[in-house]
Amino acid sequence: DIQLTQSPSFLSASVGDRVTITCRASQGISSYLAWYQQKPGKAPKLLIYAASTLQSGVPSRFSGSGSGTEFTLTISSLQPEDFATYYCQQLEPFGQGTRLEIK
Amino acid sequence: QLQLQESGPGLVKPSETLSLTCTVSGGSISSSSYYWGWIRQPPGKGLEWIGSIYYSGSTYYNPSLKSRVTISVDTSKNQFSLKLSSVTAADTAVYYCARRVSVTVGFDPWGQGTLVTVSS
């Protein structure tokens, strides 16, 4: 079974910062990776699919890259509404999540 | 606009079977372009994929839950369902249904989720 490991598990940052979250797969998964944002009490929201394709309606400050076993989600300039938990997902398994909080 | 809505009991007794239904509106569940999935999230924890189904009835399940999970589809009602048997307190979670495009990765949209508590 493929395992996904996100790092860091917790991230503290300020509005305007550039942040990067990493997702590592236990074996190569080509570009079959998605990223989600989840806010408390809400369903996850798809941000990026196929490793780097921005879902319709998602702000361009979000970007994804990578292939094979290492992937990154980058937020170029944090906005107040971006403080949330982020998950990566291969076809089915999810990473454990990265909680992004305001410094 | 496609919408998904979970429904079912919010309280299930230990050792019994959890049953949930996801009703799809604004689109057809019979499209060959999509898979339909169940995902859960225990309180304060991360997301766990449970299983997915194609409109034809083909299913695949999380290996860790496979022995207890059955997902089925009713195209006439535009619904798909989840059954999880022999539940314990560890199965207490918010259960979500969602759609995935068959040729890529990523669930969208999602239902709002429904909390199922396992308790006597």
Short mmCIF file of all heavy atoms in Angstrom, two decimals, chain A residues 29-35 46-55 64-67 71 89, chain B residues 103-106:
data_model
loop_
_atom_site.label_atom_id
_atom_site.label_comp_id
_atom_site.label_asym_id
_atom_site.label_seq_id
_atom_site.Cartn_x
_atom_site.Cartn_y
_atom_site.Cartn_z
N ILE A 29 4.25 7.65 -7.76
CA ILE A 29 2.83 7.74 -8.09
C ILE A 29 2.60 8.67 -9.29
O ILE A 29 1.52 9.23 -9.47
CB ILE A 29 1.99 8.21 -6.88
CG1 ILE A 29 2.49 9.58 -6.35
CG2 ILE A 29 2.01 7.17 -5.78
CD1 ILE A 29 1.59 10.16 -5.26
N SER A 30 3.64 8.84 -10.10
CA SER A 30 3.54 9.73 -11.27
C SER A 30 3.04 11.10 -10.80
O SER A 30 3.61 11.68 -9.89
CB SER A 30 2.62 9.09 -12.31
OG SER A 30 2.62 9.88 -13.48
N SER A 31 1.98 11.59 -11.41
CA SER A 31 1.42 12.89 -11.00
C SER A 31 0.05 12.74 -10.36
O SER A 31 -0.74 13.68 -10.33
CB SER A 31 1.33 13.83 -12.21
OG SER A 31 2.61 14.12 -12.71
N TYR A 32 -0.23 11.55 -9.84
CA TYR A 32 -1.54 11.29 -9.25
C TYR A 32 -1.58 11.80 -7.82
O TYR A 32 -1.58 11.03 -6.85
CB TYR A 32 -1.86 9.80 -9.30
CG TYR A 32 -2.27 9.33 -10.68
CD1 TYR A 32 -1.36 8.68 -11.50
CD2 TYR A 32 -3.56 9.54 -11.16
CE1 TYR A 32 -1.72 8.25 -12.76
CE2 TYR A 32 -3.93 9.12 -12.42
CZ TYR A 32 -3.00 8.48 -13.22
OH TYR A 32 -3.37 8.06 -14.47
N LEU A 33 -1.62 13.11 -7.69
CA LEU A 33 -1.66 13.71 -6.36
C LEU A 33 -2.58 14.91 -6.37
O LEU A 33 -2.60 15.70 -7.31
CB LEU A 33 -0.27 14.15 -5.89
CG LEU A 33 -0.28 14.44 -4.39
CD1 LEU A 33 0.11 13.21 -3.60
CD2 LEU A 33 0.59 15.62 -4.03
N ALA A 34 -3.35 15.04 -5.29
CA ALA A 34 -4.24 16.17 -5.09
C ALA A 34 -3.94 16.84 -3.75
O ALA A 34 -3.41 16.20 -2.84
CB ALA A 34 -5.70 15.72 -5.13
N TRP A 35 -4.31 18.11 -3.66
CA TRP A 35 -4.18 18.86 -2.41
C TRP A 35 -5.54 19.44 -2.04
O TRP A 35 -6.27 19.92 -2.91
CB TRP A 35 -3.18 20.01 -2.58
CG TRP A 35 -1.75 19.59 -2.70
CD1 TRP A 35 -1.04 19.44 -3.86
CD2 TRP A 35 -0.84 19.31 -1.62
NE1 TRP A 35 0.25 19.07 -3.56
CE2 TRP A 35 0.40 18.99 -2.20
CE3 TRP A 35 -0.96 19.31 -0.23
CZ2 TRP A 35 1.52 18.65 -1.44
CZ3 TRP A 35 0.15 18.97 0.52
CH2 TRP A 35 1.38 18.65 -0.07
N LEU A 46 -11.08 20.91 -2.71
CA LEU A 46 -10.02 20.55 -3.65
C LEU A 46 -9.33 21.80 -4.16
O LEU A 46 -9.98 22.70 -4.70
CB LEU A 46 -10.59 19.74 -4.81
CG LEU A 46 -9.61 19.29 -5.88
CD1 LEU A 46 -8.58 18.31 -5.32
CD2 LEU A 46 -10.35 18.66 -7.06
N LEU A 47 -8.02 21.86 -4.00
CA LEU A 47 -7.23 23.00 -4.48
C LEU A 47 -6.52 22.67 -5.78
O LEU A 47 -6.52 23.47 -6.73
CB LEU A 47 -6.17 23.38 -3.44
CG LEU A 47 -6.62 23.82 -2.06
CD1 LEU A 47 -5.40 24.03 -1.17
CD2 LEU A 47 -7.46 25.09 -2.15
N ILE A 48 -5.85 21.52 -5.80
CA ILE A 48 -4.98 21.14 -6.91
C ILE A 48 -5.16 19.66 -7.20
O ILE A 48 -5.27 18.85 -6.26
CB ILE A 48 -3.51 21.44 -6.57
CG1 ILE A 48 -3.30 22.96 -6.59
CG2 ILE A 48 -2.53 20.75 -7.52
CD1 ILE A 48 -1.99 23.41 -6.01
N TYR A 49 -5.19 19.30 -8.46
CA TYR A 49 -5.22 17.88 -8.85
C TYR A 49 -4.15 17.64 -9.91
O TYR A 49 -3.60 18.58 -10.48
CB TYR A 49 -6.61 17.48 -9.35
CG TYR A 49 -7.09 18.20 -10.59
CD1 TYR A 49 -6.90 17.65 -11.86
CD2 TYR A 49 -7.74 19.42 -10.51
CE1 TYR A 49 -7.33 18.30 -12.99
CE2 TYR A 49 -8.18 20.08 -11.64
CZ TYR A 49 -7.98 19.51 -12.88
OH TYR A 49 -8.42 20.17 -14.02
N ALA A 50 -3.86 16.38 -10.11
CA ALA A 50 -2.79 16.00 -11.04
C ALA A 50 -1.50 16.74 -10.71
O ALA A 50 -0.77 17.19 -11.60
CB ALA A 50 -3.21 16.23 -12.49
N ALA A 51 -1.24 16.88 -9.42
CA ALA A 51 -0.01 17.45 -8.86
C ALA A 51 0.13 18.96 -9.04
O ALA A 51 0.64 19.63 -8.14
CB ALA A 51 1.23 16.75 -9.41
N SER A 52 -0.32 19.50 -10.18
CA SER A 52 -0.02 20.91 -10.44
C SER A 52 -1.16 21.68 -11.11
O SER A 52 -0.99 22.87 -11.42
CB SER A 52 1.23 21.02 -11.32
OG SER A 52 1.02 20.37 -12.57
N THR A 53 -2.30 21.05 -11.32
CA THR A 53 -3.42 21.73 -11.99
C THR A 53 -4.33 22.37 -10.96
O THR A 53 -4.86 21.69 -10.08
CB THR A 53 -4.21 20.75 -12.85
OG1 THR A 53 -3.34 20.12 -13.80
CG2 THR A 53 -5.33 21.48 -13.60
N LEU A 54 -4.50 23.68 -11.10
CA LEU A 54 -5.32 24.43 -10.15
C LEU A 54 -6.79 24.17 -10.43
O LEU A 54 -7.26 24.31 -11.57
CB LEU A 54 -5.01 25.91 -10.29
CG LEU A 54 -5.30 26.83 -9.11
CD1 LEU A 54 -4.47 26.47 -7.91
CD2 LEU A 54 -5.04 28.29 -9.52
N GLN A 55 -7.53 23.78 -9.40
CA GLN A 55 -8.97 23.59 -9.54
C GLN A 55 -9.63 24.94 -9.85
O GLN A 55 -9.19 26.00 -9.36
CB GLN A 55 -9.55 22.99 -8.25
CG GLN A 55 -11.05 22.85 -8.21
CD GLN A 55 -11.58 21.74 -9.11
OE1 GLN A 55 -10.88 21.22 -9.97
NE2 GLN A 55 -12.83 21.35 -8.89
N GLY A 64 1.05 23.89 -7.11
CA GLY A 64 1.55 22.57 -6.77
C GLY A 64 2.61 22.14 -7.76
O GLY A 64 2.58 22.54 -8.93
N SER A 65 3.53 21.32 -7.28
CA SER A 65 4.56 20.81 -8.17
C SER A 65 5.00 19.43 -7.70
O SER A 65 4.66 19.00 -6.59
CB SER A 65 5.76 21.76 -8.23
OG SER A 65 6.39 21.82 -6.96
N GLY A 66 5.79 18.79 -8.56
CA GLY A 66 6.34 17.49 -8.20
C GLY A 66 5.81 16.36 -9.04
O GLY A 66 4.81 16.49 -9.75
N SER A 67 6.50 15.24 -8.96
CA SER A 67 6.07 14.01 -9.60
C SER A 67 6.88 12.88 -9.00
O SER A 67 7.93 13.11 -8.38
CB SER A 67 6.23 14.05 -11.11
OG SER A 67 7.59 14.10 -11.46
N PHE A 71 6.28 15.88 -3.65
CA PHE A 71 5.36 16.90 -4.15
C PHE A 71 5.34 18.07 -3.17
O PHE A 71 5.57 17.89 -1.97
CB PHE A 71 3.95 16.31 -4.27
CG PHE A 71 3.87 15.12 -5.17
CD1 PHE A 71 4.18 13.85 -4.69
CD2 PHE A 71 3.52 15.25 -6.50
CE1 PHE A 71 4.13 12.74 -5.52
CE2 PHE A 71 3.46 14.15 -7.34
CZ PHE A 71 3.76 12.90 -6.84
N GLN A 89 -3.37 13.87 -1.20
CA GLN A 89 -4.04 12.61 -1.45
C GLN A 89 -3.52 12.00 -2.74
O GLN A 89 -3.44 12.69 -3.76
CB GLN A 89 -5.55 12.80 -1.57
CG GLN A 89 -6.32 11.49 -1.73
CD GLN A 89 -7.70 11.69 -2.31
OE1 GLN A 89 -8.03 12.73 -2.87
NE2 GLN A 89 -8.55 10.69 -2.15
N VAL B 103 -10.37 9.72 -14.50
CA VAL B 103 -9.05 9.67 -15.11
C VAL B 103 -8.00 10.43 -14.32
O VAL B 103 -6.84 10.50 -14.74
CB VAL B 103 -9.09 10.21 -16.56
CG1 VAL B 103 -9.96 9.31 -17.42
CG2 VAL B 103 -9.57 11.65 -16.60
N THR B 104 -8.39 11.01 -13.20
CA THR B 104 -7.39 11.74 -12.42
C THR B 104 -7.67 11.57 -10.94
O THR B 104 -8.49 10.77 -10.53
CB THR B 104 -7.37 13.23 -12.84
OG1 THR B 104 -6.26 13.87 -12.19
CG2 THR B 104 -8.66 13.93 -12.45
N VAL B 105 -6.98 12.32 -10.12
CA VAL B 105 -7.10 12.22 -8.69
C VAL B 105 -7.73 13.48 -8.14
O VAL B 105 -7.54 14.56 -8.68
CB VAL B 105 -5.70 11.99 -8.06
CG1 VAL B 105 -4.76 13.13 -8.40
CG2 VAL B 105 -5.78 11.79 -6.56
N GLY B 106 -8.48 13.34 -7.06
CA GLY B 106 -9.09 14.50 -6.44
C GLY B 106 -10.59 14.38 -6.34
O GLY B 106 -11.26 14.20 -7.36
#
